[in-house]
Amino acid sequence: MEEPKRKRGRKSKKTVGDPMVSTPGPASSPVDDAEEAEIAETESASTRRTRRATGRPRKSPVVIAQCKENGISPRRSSRLVENNGDGAVAKVDPPQPQWADVGKVVPSMDAVVKVFCVHTEPNFSLPWQRKRQYSSSSSGFIIAGRRVLTNAHSVEHYTQVKLKKRGSDTKYLATVLAIGTECDIALLTVKDDEFWEGVSPVEFGSLPALQDAVTVVGYPIGGDTISVTSGVVSRMEILSYVHGSTELLGLQIDAAINSGNSGGPAFNDKGKCVGIAFQSLKHEDVENIGYVIPTPVITHFIQDYEKSGEYTGFPILGVEWQKMENPDLRKAMGMAPDQKGVRIRRIEPTSPESRYLKHSDIILSFDGIDIANDGTVPFRHGERIGFSYLVSQKYTGENAVVKVLRDSKIHEFNVKLSTHKRLIPAHVKGKPPSYYIIAGFVFTTISVPYLRSEYGKDYEYDAPVKLLDKHLHAMAQSEDEQLVVISQVLVADINIGYEDIVNTQVLAFNGKPVKNLKRLASMVENCNDEFLKFELEYQQLVVLQTETAKAATLDILTTHCIPSAISEDLKT
């Protein structure tokens, strides 16, 4: 039988870490001391040259910290040896971190909670009903004062809200304290004392700079355990808040923000919260673009609630302005070469500023901060931001000094700031829609949620042009003005021929202009004329016999199982 051939190559290594295994060294040959010293010196120089050429990667701060914690020299952490007494060496691996130590790296994660909400949205097409309830999950985090922050859209139209802590199997019933629709922030609390045990509230950090590292923590869809994504701050500017249809300061980051991350905190490298994840950009040409509500907006929301006991909103200046970058335009408006500012195009008639500011005034500064010709103000070193940021830093009811140029003269006004009154509201603040029904004609008011319900998320393209024009450009002339429409016609014998009227504005009733839905309902109910005449846009006219219309309304309500011909808010 042939002996097995010996394979060429290195000798097999002995078992690592076993002190009982030794490797005998090769037989030594007689070498004189001078020659041995010369060889050692040559090898040492060669080794030094090799290390200088190739180098060795530096150990990360985390590895160095772990080595010091375990009493190990960082320089020897990768090659630890033990001598077993007879010249043999064996490699010893450094101690591995325990799970308890890993969990303590970011203690703020224990303050991150999962939010469970049951929503019951209004049915704008059938305003006397509500839609089928549905459930959602999102994220939140505990702050000082036994309170929890999350997104407003996470608890919008809530019926019930529950919170679950990290590592817990118990859901605690929560109470909604305030909902800030404009800034997309909601404040919650839990009455059960057990919920607050063993949890340290999250601390807020300062506004991060560009390229600062951020870590987003939350409970995105796809798992029940906490998820961590990291990135850097890539942009800071005035952003469009989708949920509130407003523009406020926002952070753009390159960390992944998925559905369910909403309401979760964004931490900096020191474990301080610098924002709340709230929306992301979904587009075929971009990847990993998420947005975070920064600490100035969060602080404004919290202090607003603490001052007044409720959320009052972010004030606005109440004007539409034009850039003054064109030199001929500046000269025509009487501006000196060293003057900069923006021109007022229109003023909201319902805003307090309308008593002081005028059309074509040039706003030079706001609260002592000069405004550039492009509408920006200095923000931080090397950065500029829209001057609406200065306005959003104020609180509702506060005053601000506005300096304007009018007829080549400078004027200063102490203006009281307030929230925005839109002809078509951006949100209904959780209230059910108003409606009034007569002879099968369903009257209601237009709002952005109504347009979204009727025409989908692309309502800005699919809604009627007349409604979109009013949504984008129309201004309310009084505080109680509303855009009243006939949303649909519940078919009956009395309204034959009117079936095709859908979402058409009502301009006047019996020759009197319609300012709001409550006024219209009052005029119809108290009408003693023979006919009810509704003047609609596009010169349409609806005429009904008064007594017959009121009598037919009861039968129509019974047929369609409608409890009342008028909503509760219009009865008072």
Side-chain angles (χ1 to χ4, degrees):
M1 185 175 180
E2 294 183 357
E3 294 181 1
K5 295 182 178 180
R6 184 174 180 181
K7 295 184 179 179
R8 300 182 61 185
R10 297 181 179 178
K11 293 182 181 180
S12 59
K13 294 182 180 179
K14 305 301 179 182
T15 305
V16 177
D18 189 353
M20 298 302 294
V21 179
S22 62
T23 305
S28 58
S29 57
V31 182
D32 62 307
D33 295 341
E35 185 178 354
E36 183 177 359
E38 182 179 356
I39 294 173
E41 184 178 358
T42 304
E43 290 179 350
S44 178
S46 176
T47 303
R48 286 197 298 269
R49 285 195 301 270
T50 303
R51 288 184 178 177
R52 282 199 298 269
T54 59
R56 179 179 292 176
R58 293 185 177 180
K59 293 180 175 61
S60 67
V62 177
V63 174
I64 295 175
Q66 290 179 351
C67 292
K68 290 183 178 179
E69 184 178 350
N70 292 281
I72 304 169
S73 173
R75 299 186 61 182
R76 299 187 58 197
S77 62
S78 60
R79 293 185 62 190
L80 299 179
V81 297
E82 287 184 356
N83 195 323
N84 61 7
D86 56 358
V89 293
K91 186 177 180 182
V92 180
D93 293 330
Q96 297 296 322
Q98 300 298 320
W99 287 112
D101 298 331
V102 175
K104 295 178 182 178
V105 173
V106 186
S108 300
M109 286 189 184
D110 291 337
V112 182
V113 299
K114 191 169 185 178
V115 181
F116 299 88
C117 183
V118 178
H119 310 259
T120 308
E121 294 183 353
N123 190 336
F124 291 93
S125 299
L126 304 173
W128 52 90
Q129 297 180 357
R130 283 187 174 265
K131 293 182 180 180
R132 183 184 182 93
Q133 69 179 22
Y134 67 94
S135 301
S136 71
S137 65
S138 55
S139 307
F141 59 98
I142 298 172
I143 63 172
R146 293 166 66 99
R147 297 172 297 185
V148 175
L149 283 180
T150 186
N151 280 146
H153 72 261
S154 298
V155 295
E156 185 183 27
H157 304 302
Y158 69 94
T159 302
Q160 184 185 74
V161 182
K162 291 183 178 181
L163 305 179
K164 187 173 75 170
K165 295 192 297 182
R166 182 189 181 194
S168 173
D169 59 351
T170 305
K171 296 179 182 178
Y172 298 88
L173 191 64
T175 302
V176 179
L177 299 176
I179 296 180
T181 309
E182 290 89 352
C183 58
D184 202 3
I185 305 176
L187 191 65
L188 318 175
T189 189
V190 175
K191 296 181 180 179
D192 195 336
D193 294 335
E194 182 183 353
F195 176 81
W196 308 102
E197 294 178 358
V199 179
S200 299
V202 168
E203 296 181 1
F204 291 101
S206 58
L207 191 67
L210 295 179
Q211 294 186 333
D212 277 3
V214 291
T215 302
V216 178
V217 183
Y219 292 88
I221 292 177
D224 294 327
T225 57
I226 203 165
S227 171
V228 179
T229 57
S230 60
V232 298
V233 177
S234 55
R235 181 177 293 173
M236 188 179 306
E237 61 182 352
I238 299 297
L239 292 177
S240 175
Y241 282 41
V242 175
H243 178 68
S245 299
T246 52
E247 292 186 347
L248 296 170
L249 182 66
L251 302 180
Q252 177 181 302
I253 62 175
D254 62 358
I257 296 180
N258 299 307
S259 180
N261 268 123
S262 296
F267 295 109
N268 59 15
D269 54 0
K270 297 180 181 178
K272 300 292 184 68
C273 177
V274 295
I276 304 175
F278 75 116
Q279 65 188 34
S280 59
L281 181 59
K282 303 297 184 183
H283 194 276
E284 59 183 4
D285 295 333
V286 297
E287 293 181 0
N288 282 358
I289 292 184
Y291 297 101
V292 172
I293 304 171
T295 46
V297 179
I298 301 172
T299 304
H300 187 286
F301 169 80
I302 295 175
Q303 293 182 355
D304 183 19
Y305 173 78
E306 292 175 346
K307 283 183 177 181
S308 57
E310 61 179 359
Y311 172 74
T312 61
F314 286 75
I316 64 161
L317 195 56
V319 300
E320 293 181 359
W321 52 270
Q322 176 186 0
K323 295 180 180 180
M324 295 294 291
E325 295 176 312
N326 186 276
D328 293 336
L329 178 60
R330 292 198 301 271
K331 187 175 181 180
M333 298 302 298
M335 296 179 66
D338 59 338
Q339 288 180 327
K340 296 181 180 180
V342 293
R343 172 181 171 270
I344 296 178
R345 294 194 295 116
R346 295 198 300 171
I347 306 174
E348 291 277 358
T350 58
S351 67
E353 293 82 7
S354 61
R355 291 178 292 177
Y356 306 98
L357 306 181
K358 293 183 179 181
H359 168 73
S360 286
D361 280 353
I362 308 298
I363 304 178
L364 302 176
S365 67
F366 181 88
D367 261 357
I369 300 178
D370 294 336
I371 301 174
N373 290 324
D374 60 352
T376 61
V377 293
F379 183 51
R380 295 191 300 193
H381 178 70
E383 297 180 59
R384 299 188 67 86
I385 199 168
F387 84 95
S388 61
Y389 169 73
L390 302 177
V391 184
S392 66
Q393 290 295 99
K394 309 286 283 188
Y395 292 89
T396 302
E398 286 188 346
N399 292 339
V401 178
V402 180
K403 182 187 293 186
V404 300
L405 179 69
R406 180 186 301 168
D407 299 329
S408 300
K409 296 181 180 179
I410 296 178
H411 303 268
E412 284 191 0
F413 300 104
N414 196 358
V415 178
K416 185 177 181 180
L417 301 175
S418 66
T419 54
H420 196 174
K421 173 64 176 71
R422 294 183 178 178
L423 179 62
I424 298 182
H427 40 80
V428 294
K429 298 183 179 179
K431 298 179 181 179
S434 305
Y435 71 91
Y436 174 69
I437 301 174
I438 183 73
F441 290 86
V442 181
F443 297 90
T444 188
T445 59
I446 294 294
S447 63
V448 172
Y450 177 88
L451 294 176
R452 190 179 291 112
S453 175
E454 288 284 295
Y455 302 102
K457 62 180 181 179
D458 294 328
Y459 67 92
E460 293 181 335
Y461 301 96
D462 299 332
V465 175
K466 283 262 187 178
L467 293 181
L468 289 178
D469 179 67
K470 293 180 174 63
H471 166 54
L472 297 174
H473 304 294
M475 292 182 174
Q477 300 300 314
S478 62
E479 286 287 342
D480 59 349
E481 184 178 357
Q482 294 177 318
L483 189 62
V484 181
V485 297
I486 297 176
S487 64
Q488 61 176 314
V489 179
L490 305 175
V491 177
D493 293 341
I494 190 173
N495 53 46
I496 188 171
Y498 298 132
E499 302 92 343
D500 296 333
I501 298 178
V502 178
N503 291 331
T504 305
Q505 184 181 359
V506 182
L507 302 178
F509 170 74
N510 284 1
K512 298 179 181 179
V514 175
K515 289 184 59 178
N516 53 60
L517 184 57
K518 187 173 184 177
R519 176 62 178 160
L520 173 63
S522 177
M523 289 192 296
V524 173
E525 291 295 316
N526 298 320
C527 179
N528 296 319
D529 296 344
E530 181 179 1
F531 295 102
L532 305 175
K533 298 181 180 179
F534 300 93
E535 298 176 30
L536 314 181
E537 60 183 352
Y538 305 113
Q539 287 76 46
Q540 296 185 79
L541 184 65
V542 172
V543 179
L544 301 170
Q545 208 279 332
T546 303
E547 294 299 328
T548 307
K550 293 182 178 181
T553 301
L554 297 176
D555 294 335
I556 295 173
L557 295 179
T558 303
T559 301
H560 292 272
C561 301
I562 302 175
S564 175
I566 189 171
S567 58
E568 291 294 329
D569 61 314
L570 299 181
K571 293 180 181 180
T572 57

